[in-house]
Amino acid sequence: VFWNALMMTIKKSVGPKLTLTPPPSPARRPLQIPAMGQDPCNDLAASEKLDELLEYIHESPRDPIDYRVGALENRLERVSAEIQGIKGPPQHLAASLRYRSNSQSCDARS
């Protein structure tokens, strides 16, 4: 027991001094997080950049499938227009042939 007491005395006298525990920090108020949309942004550059990003998102297709569907719709419209253009002359020809045959049958009856 004497040995332990002697060692503890030497340890306390030779060893580093313990620092006092610092006082506790003052109590902080909880952070107030503004609700969405209540704190307007005053930075004009940030708002312009946000407008550019939103415009880009709305203009660009969201994925390649939307782009491909749009391209197919455009091609379908062109093909439909071409078919209408091709279909027109044969219809006029058929109408004129019907008109001639009707006029010839009317002449033959007279």
Side-chain angles (χ1 to χ4, degrees), residues 57-72:
I57 289 171
H58 288 296
E59 286 181 0
S60 66
R62 295 191 179 207
D63 58 349
I65 293 175
D66 288 343
Y67 176 76
R68 292 174 65 189
V69 167
L72 280 173

Side-chain angles (χ1 to χ4, degrees), residues 18-73:
L18 293 176
T19 58
L20 294 174
T21 305
S25 59
R28 292 187 181 182
R29 291 181 287 160
L31 294 176
Q32 293 181 353
I33 300 173
M36 187 74 148
Q38 291 183 352
D39 190 20
C41 180
N42 292 329
D43 188 10
L44 293 177
S47 63
E48 289 174 1
K49 186 66 174 175
L50 183 61
D51 289 341
E52 288 178 19
L53 289 172
L54 289 173
E55 184 178 326
Y56 175 76
I57 289 171
H58 288 296
E59 286 181 0
S60 66
R62 295 191 179 207
D63 58 349
I65 293 175
D66 288 343
Y67 176 76
R68 292 174 65 189
V69 167
L72 280 173
E73 288 175 348

